[in-house]
């Protein structure tokens, strides 16, 4: 494991997809392969994972602090067995308290929630990464208002966790307009995805930061993200590794037949 872990913005797919292989067939094969490769990139097993979930918002930044988090089945219309899925990773109260202290020291109000369970932005994404559920997990809520700068600054505040063995993951989706899944979303998803790739991989750090803070000026931004809760986790992951190189670790041009979607790593991977 490197001395400073990389951070990630991961497109987490839809609902409980890892538990629906029979229904989805090969739809998620490329995404699943990218997620399964993350342990190799990280190296040794991290002390904990901090997941910034696009499915949890609170008045202030809030961290799950229970030792045995339960499950939140925050989806509808899926087969009955997907409401019995269990991902029994332990919580990490000490990591939650450390993260809250870092946020507070940076002037960001932070709270602890001892009863919050894992939503599908966490368990569906982490199941292919750590299928044994043997890495402690803390979830962090987005802050109401979804202000890009506040979330960038939260990432900056949390950066020391990377040197303490904590893997920071922003869990969302690079294109999230459910009404445009399919042919109607092709143009918007491809244009926004191309902009995101350019911003993260080609711009120097200062311009990269400015571009992300003004993401809503990107081509087709509001068609790609009518509401940006699935994009803002990117700002936290990026803020924690702001001046480090980015790499695209997942990309598809024809997700669900028509959509361009991607995931990114910030910081160096472990040596082979």
């Amino acid at each position: 494991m490197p001395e400073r872990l990389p951070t990630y913005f991961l497109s987490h797919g839809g609902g409980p997809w890892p538990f629906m292989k029979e229904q989805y067939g090969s739809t998620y094969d490329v995404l699943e392969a990218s997620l399964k490769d993350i342990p190799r990139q990280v190296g040794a097993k991290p002390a904990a994972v901090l997941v910034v979930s696009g499915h949890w918002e609170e008045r202030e930044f809030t961290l799950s602090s229970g030792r045995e988090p339960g499950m939140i089945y925050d989806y509808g219309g899926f087969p009955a067995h997907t409401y019995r899925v269990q991902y029994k990773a332990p919580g990490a109260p000490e990591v939650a308290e450390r993260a809250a202290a870092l946020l507070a020291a940076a002037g960001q109000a932070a709270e602890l929630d001892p009863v919050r369970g894992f939503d599908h932005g966490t368990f569906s994404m982490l199941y292919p990464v750590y299928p044994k559920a043997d890495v402690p997990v803390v979830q962090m809520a987005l802050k109401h208002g979804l202000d890009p700068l506040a979330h960038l600054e939260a990432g900056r505040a949390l950066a020391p966790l990377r040197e303490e063995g904590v893997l920071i993951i922003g869990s969302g989706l690079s294109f999230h307009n459910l009404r445009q899944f399919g042919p109607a979303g092709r143009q918007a998803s491809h244009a926004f995805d191309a902009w995101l790739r350019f911003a993260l991989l080609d711009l120097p750090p200062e311009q990269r930061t400015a571009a992300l803070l003004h993401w809503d000026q990107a081509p087709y931004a509001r068609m790609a993200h009518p509401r940006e809760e699935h994009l803002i986790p990117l700002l936290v992951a990026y803020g924690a590794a702001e001046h480090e190189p980015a790499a695209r670790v997942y990309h598809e041009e024809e997700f669900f037949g028509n959509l361009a979607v991607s995931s990114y790593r910030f910081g160096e991977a472990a040596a082979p």
Side-chain angles (χ1 to χ4, degrees), residues 116-188:
R116 174 74 183 186
F118 298 143
D119 60 54
H120 82 266
T122 293
F123 70 79
S124 288
M125 178 270 296
L126 282 180
Y127 179 74
V129 182
Y130 296 115
K132 294 181 180 179
D134 53 355
V135 178
V137 178
V138 171
Q139 272 197 182
M140 188 172 103
L142 301 173
K143 183 176 181 178
H144 275 326
L146 304 177
D147 177 58
L149 181 58
H151 290 82
L152 176 75
E153 291 177 341
R156 290 168 174 166
L158 295 171
L161 294 176
R162 299 174 56 205
E163 298 179 359
E164 299 168 18
V166 178
L167 180 63
I168 298 172
I169 296 176
S171 176
L173 199 59
S174 62
F175 177 85
H176 193 255
N177 184 340
L178 299 183
R179 294 184 177 184
Q180 300 288 321
F181 263 51
R186 173 182 285 277
Q187 185 171 6

Side-chain angles (χ1 to χ4, degrees), residues 57-261:
E57 295 176 41
E58 294 289 352
R59 181 176 57 87
E60 305 291 353
F61 289 115
T62 304
L63 296 121
S64 64
S65 59
R67 291 197 177 276
E68 297 181 0
M71 301 291 290
I72 298 174
Y73 304 112
D74 54 338
Y75 41 73
F78 289 93
H81 76 271
T82 65
Y83 299 89
R84 298 189 293 271
V85 167
Q86 293 291 312
Y87 188 76
K88 292 185 174 294
E94 299 82 4
V95 173
E97 292 168 5
R98 169 68 169 147
L102 288 169
L103 290 166
Q108 297 270 18
E111 300 178 358
L112 300 175
D113 184 337
V115 300
R116 174 74 183 186
F118 298 143
D119 60 54
H120 82 266
T122 293
F123 70 79
S124 288
M125 178 270 296
L126 282 180
Y127 179 74
V129 182
Y130 296 115
K132 294 181 180 179
D134 53 355
V135 178
V137 178
V138 171
Q139 272 197 182
M140 188 172 103
L142 301 173
K143 183 176 181 178
H144 275 326
L146 304 177
D147 177 58
L149 181 58
H151 290 82
L152 176 75
E153 291 177 341
R156 290 168 174 166
L158 295 171
L161 294 176
R162 299 174 56 205
E163 298 179 359
E164 299 168 18
V166 178
L167 180 63
I168 298 172
I169 296 176
S171 176
L173 199 59
S174 62
F175 177 85
H176 193 255
N177 184 340
L178 299 183
R179 294 184 177 184
Q180 300 288 321
F181 263 51
R186 173 182 285 277
Q187 185 171 6
S189 71
H190 283 251
F192 187 79
D193 189 83
W195 172 85
L196 189 61
R197 182 207 170 281
F198 172 77
L200 293 177
L201 301 187
D202 294 342
L203 291 178
E206 296 77 12
Q207 294 179 32
R208 183 171 63 174
T209 297
L212 292 178
L213 289 175
H214 299 284
W215 71 269
D216 57 347
Q217 298 176 17
Y220 293 90
R222 282 298 176 187
M223 190 173 287
H225 294 279
R227 190 173 186 276
E228 57 267 38
E229 80 285 346
H230 275 66
L231 181 69
I232 292 298
L234 164 64
L235 274 295
V236 182
Y238 171 74
E242 187 173 3
H243 298 289
E244 297 177 45
R248 190 164 66 178
V249 295
Y250 161 67
H251 177 67
E252 289 191 67
E253 296 280 338
E254 304 294 334
F255 184 63
F256 272 83
N258 302 95
L259 306 177
V261 288

